[in-house]
Amino acid sequence: YISLNCEAKNLVPYSGPNKMRDCFCTINLDQEEVFRTQVVEKSLSPFFGEEFYFEIPRTFQCLSFYIYDKSVLQRDLRIGKVAIKKEDLCKYTSKETWFLLQPVDSNSEVQGKVHLELKLNELITDNGSVCQQLVVHIKECHGLPLVNGQNCDPYATVSLMGPSRNDQKKTKVKKKTSNPQFNETFYFEVTRSSSYTKKSQFQVEEEDIEKLEVRIDLWNNGNLVQDVFLGEIKVPVKVLGNDSFQAWYLLQPRENGNKSSKTDDLGSLRLNVCYTEDYVLPSEYYASLRNLLLKSPDVQPVSASAAYILGEVCRDKYDAVLPLVRLLLHHQKIVPFVTAVAELDLKDTQEVNTIFRGNTLATRCLDEMMKIVGKHYLKVTLKPVLDEICESPKPCEIDPIKLKEGDNVEVHKENLRYYVDKVFNTIVQSSISCPTLMCDVFYSLRHLAAKRFPNDPHVQYSAVSSFVFLRFFAVAVVSPHTFHLRPHHPDAQTSRTLTLISKTIQTLGSWGSLSKSKLSSFKETFMCEFFKMFQEEKFTEAVQKFLDEVSSTESKEPSGMSEPVHLKEGEMYKRAQGRTRIGKKNFKKRWFCLTSRELTYHKQRDKEPIYNIPIKNILTVEKLEESAFNRKNMFQVIYGEKPLYIQANNCVEASEWIEALCRVSRCNQKRLSVYHPSAFLNGNWLCCKATTENTKGCTPCTAGVPADIQIEIDGDRETERIYSLFAINMPKLQKMEEACGSIAVYQGPQKELDDYSNFTIEDSVATFQTLQQIIAIVEKLNEPHEKYRKKRSSSAKYGSEENPIVGKVS
């Protein structure tokens, strides 16, 4: 996984009178763009402040960030970049770091590897003397960069270089591929017998072989423009000896690359990157850790459970919460666990109006659970109204200090009132769509709060509203992009409107739950004035009715069954289904839309669908081999006689579409177990060479057998993440174990031993037992991980595809 956010400073100003720039930042795996931020206008120190959290769907060498200056008429200008090698990511993870922007030129864009076989042959000439011949077999390349976002047209030059020679030969150009298969062999004469005349260019003394080297340069064929350099490797001839030498090499920048001395003039980029890489063992290895974690809700007290201890030892609770919530969700244990930790929170809550306002394990778990389980609920509730606000925004500024000349504050108030009413009504009428799991948790919280504060009739409402209004709806309104309700961070004016709506909705939520709440919840006078519009009984009643509905355990109508739930949309390319007039099928850009009922594509966004595939008809969704159409990031939706072939814009997007389509069609009755990973072209399947189009697939489907699972979660992967967190925090676990021992011996913590003052230890004996189990399980799991690390380092021979040679070979 990677998650990050960023800002830049001191960017190079324009040379003209207006020195400011309109900038955006892109995130790239190598040179493939996977995300871009919104444009920040007129700034040389833009703050992007957007978080992107994504799983990495393929191998990569560098995580790169490009700062662009947005241009209306020409191509956007690349100001500079930051590239972090994969192996260096761990140095920067979870730390805020300022990086100097580096210049972007073709030399800095090198990536990919090349597979070579080299051999020195001895030949006997016609007159009986011996000379040497070099054989260079250039086999293939992998992972060449995309040039201007497109696959390149690569070719290679193969040269034999020496003090007095430069023989160069060239491969054929391979069209539209980042993984060209060259399979071409070149022969070079290295030494000639002394009978040759002095005029011969091959007159080389025997010892000069020491100075010869093979150089391979890769280029993108520019057709009418200049060819672009893609990287080079150099291999000294002397290393070859008598054997054939075969290896993979990482392409390198030119040694005399344009190393500008003024790189620090371009400005800086601040990044906060979290990078995690896990090796997941087979399922049986995790049984004991999984069982220990799943017992957590039943442990008395809950602070002595493995799940609670995980939250205690992780420096950032968020690290622990993500895998923990997913694992507990997967095994239907989230409701009892959240109930138990919320009860612990309530013990420490003295004031009714601070209920569930802290950043504790209980509130973080609930936040994360609502994000996962409530994703569709938010879409079906808020997306239409947020689209209206973002796409045709009305001015809503009501702060006298921020008003511009000519602004009519009364009109602004009316606009804001209109939006607040719309958002509020949408929320309070949405209880039928609230997922059962969320209702079950709210039911528990409501009863715990009433038990803790029996004399306060409103506490049962404030316990629920502090989550559903403050931590769910209000957060989604203010940052819709983080909940995938909008594609990008909204612009400054819309952002301000959303903030004002969110503040009002929060207060309305707590107003209804605290009955006659004070307006002191607003620091600003203008907000108090505005809120007076909502001091009517009907708002309080609507909130209470809504909170009653979402915190009751009466069975709900399954969420979104009456209305199809909008799941995903975006622009992609599809291959034509029918034939064109010339008989050749082409690719067209289309707007795709996926709901819980159907997949449709449209000529443009907001147009009527041209074609729709009911979800119940989907038989499988799989990746498509790049070789089928010489295009990357392709997948196929098999739903009837002919598959629909789709190309996404990047690897992350392709992966997300495949996952969403697989998840929504997993329970279909007629799912396929085998498929064709390539296409049927020119009378045969490219994958298995079968000649009839309706031949059964040749490869097992990756999605596996149908399963009725609400949310697709890989329990082993989440358990592996938790093991890694325990392993990293082993010193803290041991400290906690010592603390439990001290408490048991001295009948309570000693003042001078404040090592464990940060830990919650209610029952030292129970906590000590759990800690012993965790430590033993982690130590046992360390062995297979260590074995795997050794195997990986020894099995990937230097020069293999997994471990290519870097730099010159000596």
Side-chain angles (χ1 to χ4, degrees), residues 210-423:
E210 291 290 313
K211 296 174 184 165
L212 289 179
E213 65 181 8
V214 179
R215 192 174 100 192
I216 313 285
D217 289 85
L218 270 127
W219 298 87
N220 178 42
N221 183 32
N223 291 325
L224 302 173
V225 292
Q226 198 178 354
D227 293 355
V228 177
F229 172 74
L230 299 177
E232 68 174 22
I233 59 158
K234 295 176 179 175
V235 185
V237 173
K238 65 181 180 189
V239 304
L240 300 178
N242 298 326
D243 296 329
S244 165
F245 186 83
Q246 180 174 266
W248 283 86
Y249 300 82
L250 268 187
L251 286 166
Q252 300 296 312
R254 282 200 193 100
E255 282 178 2
N256 62 346
N258 317 346
K259 293 199 170 70
S260 161
S261 55
K262 300 206 286 191
T263 55
D264 48 354
D265 298 350
L266 298 174
S268 319
L269 183 65
R270 178 180 64 82
L271 296 172
N272 185 357
V273 179
C274 302
Y275 173 68
T276 328
E277 189 179 281
D278 289 323
Y279 171 69
V280 184
L281 298 168
S283 199
E284 59 270 18
Y285 283 91
Y286 299 111
S288 46
L289 180 56
R290 187 170 50 240
N291 294 340
L292 188 64
L293 289 160
L294 295 179
K295 274 193 336 207
S296 296
D298 309 316
V299 172
Q300 292 291 336
V302 72
S303 60
S305 70
Y308 192 89
I309 289 168
L310 177 70
E312 287 285 89
V313 295
C314 285
R315 189 170 60 91
D316 184 352
K317 272 194 174 54
Y318 188 65
D319 291 344
V321 162
L322 268 171
L324 184 59
V325 167
R326 286 182 181 164
L327 185 73
L328 294 170
L329 257 176
H330 186 55
H331 293 279
Q332 288 89 45
K333 293 280 187 182
I334 193 76
V335 179
F337 181 71
V338 169
T339 305
V341 287
E343 194 168 10
L344 190 62
D345 268 15
L346 284 170
K347 276 186 188 170
D348 296 335
T349 308
Q350 303 308 319
E351 292 285 322
V352 171
N353 54 4
T354 61
I355 196 163
F356 299 129
R357 293 294 172 96
N359 234 346
T360 62
L361 185 63
T363 56
R364 294 301 288 267
C365 281
L366 237 156
D367 284 351
E368 197 51 43
M369 185 273 274
M370 290 192 299
K371 256 189 200 168
I372 299 170
V373 176
K375 202 192 284 182
H376 297 170
Y377 177 34
L378 277 179
K379 274 196 173 155
V380 40
T381 309
L382 287 183
K383 193 174 187 336
V385 61
L386 289 174
D387 284 345
E388 182 191 330
I389 295 167
C390 295
E391 283 162 23
S392 48
K394 300 177 180 185
C396 293
E397 185 54 74
I398 55 171
D399 182 350
I401 298 163
K402 293 187 178 177
L403 286 168
K404 297 189 187 80
E405 204 178 322
D407 281 351
N408 183 332
V409 72
E410 289 308 313
V411 172
H412 287 201
K413 259 187 196 173
E414 272 314 304
N415 291 342
L416 186 58
R417 164 86 200 242
Y418 166 77
Y419 283 150
V420 169
D421 269 341
K422 202 156 186 182
V423 173

Side-chain angles (χ1 to χ4, degrees), residues 51-331:
E51 284 214 1
F52 296 96
Y53 174 87
F54 61 100
E55 292 186 20
I56 302 162
R58 61 170 175 84
T59 54
F60 69 103
Q61 290 172 38
C62 277
L63 182 68
S64 307
F65 304 84
Y66 293 80
I67 297 284
Y68 282 84
D69 185 4
K70 182 84 182 155
S71 171
V72 181
L73 301 171
Q74 300 156 319
R75 273 215 357 243
D76 299 331
L77 172 74
R78 292 199 283 195
I79 298 172
K81 75 172 203 177
V82 170
I84 308 172
K85 286 193 171 134
K86 181 185 173 182
E87 56 270 25
D88 295 337
L89 275 169
C90 52
K91 291 183 201 166
Y92 304 109
T93 195
S94 298
K95 291 179 201 154
E96 292 204 342
T97 313
W98 281 99
F99 295 88
L100 288 176
L101 288 171
Q102 301 301 318
V104 182
D105 56 39
S106 63
N107 194 54
S108 72
E109 297 290 87
V110 169
Q111 70 173 61
K113 51 196 170 186
V114 58
H115 192 191
L116 279 191
E117 186 174 7
L118 304 170
K119 193 175 185 184
L120 268 179
N121 286 340
E122 287 199 341
L123 298 181
I124 297 172
T125 58
D126 296 343
N127 62 8
S129 60
V130 177
C131 70
Q132 284 186 305
Q133 179 192 50
L134 174 69
V135 184
V136 180
H137 179 189
I138 177 161
K139 295 186 168 189
E140 59 182 320
C141 291
H142 268 190
L144 295 181
L146 302 169
V147 176
N148 300 333
Q150 299 296 320
N151 271 331
C152 50
D153 295 341
Y155 70 89
T157 57
V158 182
S159 314
L160 183 62
M161 317 273 295
S164 56
R165 68 191 282 173
N166 181 359
D167 307 347
Q168 190 178 86
K169 301 182 180 190
K170 185 175 153 183
T171 68
K172 292 187 177 77
V173 174
K174 298 290 176 185
K175 291 280 185 190
K176 298 275 171 284
T177 176
S178 300
N179 303 320
Q181 304 279 329
F182 291 114
N183 273 326
E184 292 189 45
T185 305
F186 300 97
Y187 300 91
F188 297 91
E189 307 211 26
V190 179
T191 56
R192 284 283 188 147
S193 57
S194 50
S195 60
Y196 256 67
T197 62
K198 286 284 179 208
K199 286 177 193 163
S200 164
Q201 59 164 328
F202 299 117
Q203 183 63 41
V204 177
E205 292 296 322
E206 190 72 43
E207 58 269 21
D208 270 5
I209 198 164
E210 291 290 313
K211 296 174 184 165
L212 289 179
E213 65 181 8
V214 179
R215 192 174 100 192
I216 313 285
D217 289 85
L218 270 127
W219 298 87
N220 178 42
N221 183 32
N223 291 325
L224 302 173
V225 292
Q226 198 178 354
D227 293 355
V228 177
F229 172 74
L230 299 177
E232 68 174 22
I233 59 158
K234 295 176 179 175
V235 185
V237 173
K238 65 181 180 189
V239 304
L240 300 178
N242 298 326
D243 296 329
S244 165
F245 186 83
Q246 180 174 266
W248 283 86
Y249 300 82
L250 268 187
L251 286 166
Q252 300 296 312
R254 282 200 193 100
E255 282 178 2
N256 62 346
N258 317 346
K259 293 199 170 70
S260 161
S261 55
K262 300 206 286 191
T263 55
D264 48 354
D265 298 350
L266 298 174
S268 319
L269 183 65
R270 178 180 64 82
L271 296 172
N272 185 357
V273 179
C274 302
Y275 173 68
T276 328
E277 189 179 281
D278 289 323
Y279 171 69
V280 184
L281 298 168
S283 199
E284 59 270 18
Y285 283 91
Y286 299 111
S288 46
L289 180 56
R290 187 170 50 240
N291 294 340
L292 188 64
L293 289 160
L294 295 179
K295 274 193 336 207
S296 296
D298 309 316
V299 172
Q300 292 291 336
V302 72
S303 60
S305 70
Y308 192 89
I309 289 168
L310 177 70
E312 287 285 89
V313 295
C314 285
R315 189 170 60 91
D316 184 352
K317 272 194 174 54
Y318 188 65
D319 291 344
V321 162
L322 268 171
L324 184 59
V325 167
R326 286 182 181 164
L327 185 73
L328 294 170
L329 257 176
H330 186 55
H331 293 279

Side-chain angles (χ1 to χ4, degrees), residues 496-513:
R496 173 68 179 157
T497 299
L498 293 173
T499 303
L500 294 170
I501 298 168
S502 179
K503 281 183 172 186
T504 318
I505 291 295
Q506 279 184 45
T507 309
L508 272 170
S510 51
W511 178 269
S513 59

